[in-house]
């Protein structure tokens, strides 16, 4: 584990590509952009489950892309991290598949297409 401190945004992609897991220990944030960026680079996500102010993590760990801690405690978060490490060691995580799937959803042009399609569907009553 490497704790890098403040890292300039342009350097993050290099770190994400070398990483397997993005650990989110926050209790609240908008949508935890760092986790989304890590997913697009092929890393999985570990974070707290029981926080309504960070519920995007439930989406981020879908599609075999991570693990959430069942309880709101440091020990539970640590166990979730160990579980995710085991998932990688047992071949249950595929960085290429994680990246491909999440890029298809999260890249700006893909997100915009989905927003426009949803607007068009709502406008036409579908």
């Amino acid at each position: 584990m490497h704790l890098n401190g403040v890292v300039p945004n342009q350097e993050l992609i290099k770190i994400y590509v070398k990483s397997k897991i993005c650990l989110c220990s926050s209790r609240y944030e908008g949508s935890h952009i760092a986790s989304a960026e890590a997913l697009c680079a092929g890393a999985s996500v570990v974070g707290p489950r029981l926080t309504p102010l960070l519920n995007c993590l439930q989406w981020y760990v879908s599609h075999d892309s991570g693990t959430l801690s069942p309880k709101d405690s440091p020990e539970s978060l640590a166990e979730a991290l160990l579980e995710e490490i085991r998932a990688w060691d047992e071949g249950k995580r595929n960085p290429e598949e994680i990246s491909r799937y999440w890029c298809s959803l999260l890249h700006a042009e893909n997100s915009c297409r989905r927003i426009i399609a949803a607007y068009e569907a709502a406008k036409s009553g579908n």
Side-chain angles (χ1 to χ4, degrees):
M1 179 183 291
H2 300 279
L3 302 175
N4 294 316
V6 177
V7 178
N9 286 344
Q10 63 272 20
E11 296 296 316
L12 284 176
I13 190 66
K14 295 174 190 170
I15 293 170
Y16 290 144
V17 168
K18 292 191 299 187
S19 300
K20 288 184 177 179
I21 300 169
C22 176
L23 175 64
C24 173
S25 60
S26 298
R27 290 180 179 251
Y28 55 90
E29 281 192 45
S31 65
H32 205 256
I33 300 297
S35 289
E37 292 171 339
L39 289 166
C40 287
S44 60
V45 173
V46 171
R49 178 183 309 273
L50 302 173
T51 174
L53 299 174
L54 195 56
N55 59 8
C56 63
L57 291 180
Q58 291 179 357
W59 183 44
Y60 289 167
V61 301
S62 66
H63 199 74
D64 293 326
S65 299
T67 303
L68 296 180
S69 64
K71 297 179 184 171
D72 186 17
S73 70
E75 296 81 10
S76 185
L77 187 59
E79 182 54 41
L81 181 58
L82 291 172
E83 184 179 327
E84 188 62 20
I85 291 168
R86 283 190 293 274
W88 278 95
D89 289 347
E90 294 170 4
K92 295 178 180 175
R93 298 292 183 259
N94 181 322
E96 291 83 14
E97 175 59 25
I98 292 171
S99 176
R100 184 175 25 261
Y101 178 78
W102 289 102
C103 285
S104 77
L105 295 175
L106 298 175
H107 276 197
E109 63 276 6
N110 299 333
S111 294
C112 289
R113 279 190 208 103
R114 287 195 342 272
I115 291 167
I116 292 167
Y119 170 76
E120 294 294 334
K123 190 170 80 173
S124 68
N126 293 333

